PDB file of all heavy atoms in Angstrom:
ATOM      1  N   GLN A 230       4.191  -9.748  22.837  1.00 97.00           N
ATOM      2  CA  GLN A 230       2.920 -10.464  22.784  1.00 97.00           C
ATOM      3  C   GLN A 230       2.502 -10.801  24.262  1.00 97.00           C
ATOM      4  O   GLN A 230       1.791 -11.826  24.430  1.00 97.00           O
ATOM      5  CB  GLN A 230       3.126 -11.708  21.977  1.00 97.00           C
ATOM      6  CG  GLN A 230       3.526 -11.552  20.586  1.00 97.00           C
ATOM      7  CD  GLN A 230       2.650 -10.520  19.824  1.00 97.00           C
ATOM      8  OE1 GLN A 230       3.140  -9.633  19.101  1.00 97.00           O
ATOM      9  NE2 GLN A 230       1.385 -10.670  19.943  1.00 97.00           N
ATOM     10  N   GLY A 231       2.901  -9.978  25.175  1.00 97.00           N
ATOM     11  CA  GLY A 231       2.409 -10.076  26.555  1.00 97.00           C
ATOM     12  C   GLY A 231       1.637  -8.875  26.945  1.00 97.00           C
ATOM     13  O   GLY A 231       0.582  -8.638  26.394  1.00 97.00           O
ATOM     14  N   ALA A 232       2.192  -8.071  27.819  1.00 97.00           N
ATOM     15  CA  ALA A 232       1.467  -6.897  28.315  1.00 97.00           C
ATOM     16  C   ALA A 232       1.101  -5.880  27.184  1.00 97.00           C
ATOM     17  O   ALA A 232       0.173  -5.120  27.313  1.00 97.00           O
ATOM     18  CB  ALA A 232       2.321  -6.176  29.392  1.00 97.00           C
ATOM     19  N   ASP A 233       1.945  -5.836  26.168  1.00 97.00           N
ATOM     20  CA  ASP A 233       1.710  -4.914  25.087  1.00 97.00           C
ATOM     21  C   ASP A 233       1.238  -5.491  23.786  1.00 97.00           C
ATOM     22  O   ASP A 233       1.346  -4.950  22.714  1.00 97.00           O
ATOM     23  CB  ASP A 233       3.070  -4.135  24.778  1.00 97.00           C
ATOM     24  CG  ASP A 233       3.476  -3.232  25.926  1.00 97.00           C
ATOM     25  OD1 ASP A 233       2.645  -2.433  26.329  1.00 97.00           O
ATOM     26  OD2 ASP A 233       4.677  -3.329  26.352  1.00 97.00           O
ATOM     27  N   CYS A 234       0.643  -6.649  23.873  1.00 98.00           N
ATOM     28  CA  CYS A 234       0.112  -7.355  22.652  1.00 98.00           C
ATOM     29  C   CYS A 234      -1.097  -6.554  22.089  1.00 98.00           C
ATOM     30  O   CYS A 234      -1.789  -5.816  22.777  1.00 98.00           O
ATOM     31  CB  CYS A 234      -0.292  -8.751  23.031  1.00 98.00           C
ATOM     32  SG  CYS A 234      -1.840  -8.847  24.059  1.00 98.00           S
ATOM     33  N   VAL A 235      -1.274  -6.704  20.816  1.00 98.00           N
ATOM     34  CA  VAL A 235      -2.432  -6.107  20.144  1.00 98.00           C
ATOM     35  C   VAL A 235      -3.023  -7.121  19.103  1.00 98.00           C
ATOM     36  O   VAL A 235      -2.307  -8.009  18.686  1.00 98.00           O
ATOM     37  CB  VAL A 235      -2.123  -4.810  19.441  1.00 98.00           C
ATOM     38  CG1 VAL A 235      -1.605  -3.745  20.410  1.00 98.00           C
ATOM     39  CG2 VAL A 235      -1.029  -5.033  18.296  1.00 98.00           C
ATOM     40  N   ARG A 236      -4.235  -6.895  18.836  1.00 98.00           N
ATOM     41  CA  ARG A 236      -4.938  -7.788  17.889  1.00 98.00           C
ATOM     42  C   ARG A 236      -4.252  -7.737  16.468  1.00 98.00           C
ATOM     43  O   ARG A 236      -4.194  -8.714  15.738  1.00 98.00           O
ATOM     44  CB  ARG A 236      -6.419  -7.395  17.708  1.00 98.00           C
ATOM     45  CG  ARG A 236      -7.239  -8.219  16.717  1.00 98.00           C
ATOM     46  CD  ARG A 236      -7.473  -9.649  17.222  1.00 98.00           C
ATOM     47  NE  ARG A 236      -8.178  -9.615  18.445  1.00 98.00           N
ATOM     48  CZ  ARG A 236      -8.522 -10.711  19.138  1.00 98.00           C
ATOM     49  NH1 ARG A 236      -8.084 -11.893  18.662  1.00 98.00           N
ATOM     50  NH2 ARG A 236      -9.224 -10.671  20.251  1.00 98.00           N
ATOM     51  N   TYR A 237      -3.741  -6.564  16.083  1.00 98.00           N
ATOM     52  CA  TYR A 237      -3.173  -6.310  14.807  1.00 98.00           C
ATOM     53  C   TYR A 237      -1.692  -6.639  14.783  1.00 98.00           C
ATOM     54  O   TYR A 237      -0.993  -6.287  13.796  1.00 98.00           O
ATOM     55  CB  TYR A 237      -3.450  -4.903  14.323  1.00 98.00           C
ATOM     56  CG  TYR A 237      -4.811  -4.808  13.689  1.00 98.00           C
ATOM     57  CD1 TYR A 237      -5.991  -4.870  14.486  1.00 98.00           C
ATOM     58  CD2 TYR A 237      -5.044  -4.584  12.381  1.00 98.00           C
ATOM     59  CE1 TYR A 237      -7.289  -4.801  13.951  1.00 98.00           C
ATOM     60  CE2 TYR A 237      -6.269  -4.489  11.726  1.00 98.00           C
ATOM     61  CZ  TYR A 237      -7.417  -4.581  12.592  1.00 98.00           C
ATOM     62  OH  TYR A 237      -8.638  -4.497  11.997  1.00 98.00           O
ATOM     63  N   GLY A 238      -1.107  -7.296  15.802  1.00 98.00           N
ATOM     64  CA  GLY A 238       0.267  -7.637  15.800  1.00 98.00           C
ATOM     65  C   GLY A 238       0.455  -9.209  15.876  1.00 98.00           C
ATOM     66  O   GLY A 238      -0.343  -9.918  16.540  1.00 98.00           O
ATOM     67  N   GLN A 239       1.517  -9.681  15.232  1.00 97.00           N
ATOM     68  CA  GLN A 239       1.811 -11.096  15.163  1.00 97.00           C
ATOM     69  C   GLN A 239       3.354 -11.283  15.336  1.00 97.00           C
ATOM     70  O   GLN A 239       4.112 -10.474  14.825  1.00 97.00           O
ATOM     71  CB  GLN A 239       1.449 -11.730  13.802  1.00 97.00           C
ATOM     72  CG  GLN A 239      -0.060 -11.869  13.568  1.00 97.00           C
ATOM     73  CD  GLN A 239      -0.508 -13.248  13.827  1.00 97.00           C
ATOM     74  OE1 GLN A 239       0.232 -14.219  13.816  1.00 97.00           O
ATOM     75  NE2 GLN A 239      -1.799 -13.389  14.141  1.00 97.00           N
ATOM     76  N   ARG A 240       3.717 -12.385  16.107  1.00 98.00           N
ATOM     77  CA  ARG A 240       5.186 -12.611  16.232  1.00 98.00           C
ATOM     78  C   ARG A 240       5.390 -14.091  16.103  1.00 98.00           C
ATOM     79  O   ARG A 240       4.866 -14.961  16.740  1.00 98.00           O
ATOM     80  CB  ARG A 240       5.655 -12.198  17.598  1.00 98.00           C
ATOM     81  CG  ARG A 240       7.101 -12.627  17.864  1.00 98.00           C
ATOM     82  CD  ARG A 240       7.762 -12.001  19.096  1.00 98.00           C
ATOM     83  NE  ARG A 240       7.099 -12.270  20.303  1.00 98.00           N
ATOM     84  CZ  ARG A 240       7.472 -11.847  21.469  1.00 98.00           C
ATOM     85  NH1 ARG A 240       8.491 -10.977  21.540  1.00 98.00           N
ATOM     86  NH2 ARG A 240       6.870 -12.105  22.602  1.00 98.00           N
ATOM     87  N   GLU A 241       6.471 -14.407  15.203  1.00 98.00           N
ATOM     88  CA  GLU A 241       6.824 -15.798  15.043  1.00 98.00           C
ATOM     89  C   GLU A 241       8.108 -16.090  15.967  1.00 98.00           C
ATOM     90  O   GLU A 241       8.301 -17.254  16.386  1.00 98.00           O
ATOM     91  CB  GLU A 241       7.250 -16.123  13.592  1.00 98.00           C
ATOM     92  CG  GLU A 241       7.630 -17.544  13.352  1.00 98.00           C
ATOM     93  CD  GLU A 241       7.764 -17.899  11.934  1.00 98.00           C
ATOM     94  OE1 GLU A 241       8.553 -17.216  11.206  1.00 98.00           O
ATOM     95  OE2 GLU A 241       7.141 -18.835  11.437  1.00 98.00           O
ATOM     96  N   MET A 242       8.901 -15.067  16.186  1.00 98.00           N
ATOM     97  CA  MET A 242      10.104 -15.319  17.002  1.00 98.00           C
ATOM     98  C   MET A 242       9.761 -15.723  18.429  1.00 98.00           C
ATOM     99  O   MET A 242       8.769 -15.290  18.978  1.00 98.00           O
ATOM    100  CB  MET A 242      10.978 -14.081  17.056  1.00 98.00           C
ATOM    101  CG  MET A 242      12.353 -14.265  17.736  1.00 98.00           C
ATOM    102  SD  MET A 242      13.312 -12.775  17.677  1.00 98.00           S
ATOM    103  CE  MET A 242      14.862 -13.426  18.311  1.00 98.00           C
ATOM    104  N   MET A 243      10.545 -16.631  19.066  1.00 98.00           N
ATOM    105  CA  MET A 243      10.335 -16.909  20.422  1.00 98.00           C
ATOM    106  C   MET A 243      10.640 -15.715  21.264  1.00 98.00           C
ATOM    107  O   MET A 243      11.177 -14.711  20.762  1.00 98.00           O
ATOM    108  CB  MET A 243      11.224 -18.145  20.885  1.00 98.00           C
ATOM    109  CG  MET A 243      12.656 -17.761  21.148  1.00 98.00           C
ATOM    110  SD  MET A 243      13.619 -17.601  19.656  1.00 98.00           S
ATOM    111  CE  MET A 243      15.335 -17.685  20.323  1.00 98.00           C
ATOM    112  N   ASN A 244      10.216 -15.692  22.551  1.00 98.00           N
ATOM    113  CA  ASN A 244      10.477 -14.550  23.394  1.00 98.00           C
ATOM    114  C   ASN A 244      11.487 -14.906  24.514  1.00 98.00           C
ATOM    115  O   ASN A 244      11.984 -16.024  24.630  1.00 98.00           O
ATOM    116  CB  ASN A 244       9.138 -14.089  24.028  1.00 98.00           C
ATOM    117  CG  ASN A 244       8.406 -15.162  24.770  1.00 98.00           C
ATOM    118  OD1 ASN A 244       8.987 -16.046  25.384  1.00 98.00           O
ATOM    119  ND2 ASN A 244       7.084 -15.071  24.745  1.00 98.00           N
ATOM    120  N   ALA A 245      11.729 -13.929  25.360  1.00 97.00           N
ATOM    121  CA  ALA A 245      12.748 -14.099  26.470  1.00 97.00           C
ATOM    122  C   ALA A 245      12.322 -15.268  27.371  1.00 97.00           C
ATOM    123  O   ALA A 245      13.170 -16.029  27.912  1.00 97.00           O
ATOM    124  CB  ALA A 245      12.956 -12.788  27.219  1.00 97.00           C
ATOM    125  N   PHE A 246      11.025 -15.316  27.690  1.00 98.00           N
ATOM    126  CA  PHE A 246      10.527 -16.381  28.573  1.00 98.00           C
ATOM    127  C   PHE A 246      10.857 -17.774  27.989  1.00 98.00           C
ATOM    128  O   PHE A 246      11.267 -18.679  28.778  1.00 98.00           O
ATOM    129  CB  PHE A 246       8.979 -16.207  28.776  1.00 98.00           C
ATOM    130  CG  PHE A 246       8.408 -17.147  29.791  1.00 98.00           C
ATOM    131  CD1 PHE A 246       8.262 -16.783  31.076  1.00 98.00           C
ATOM    132  CD2 PHE A 246       7.924 -18.392  29.438  1.00 98.00           C
ATOM    133  CE1 PHE A 246       7.623 -17.595  32.065  1.00 98.00           C
ATOM    134  CE2 PHE A 246       7.288 -19.252  30.290  1.00 98.00           C
ATOM    135  CZ  PHE A 246       7.196 -18.812  31.645  1.00 98.00           C
TER     136      PHE A 246
END
Side-chain angles (χ1 to χ4, degrees):
Q230 299 310 133
D233 292 309
C234 72
V235 297
R236 180 70 62 183
Y237 278 69
Q239 289 263 336
R240 172 168 62 184
E241 183 171 55
M242 188 178 188
M243 78 283 194
N244 56 33
F246 186 92

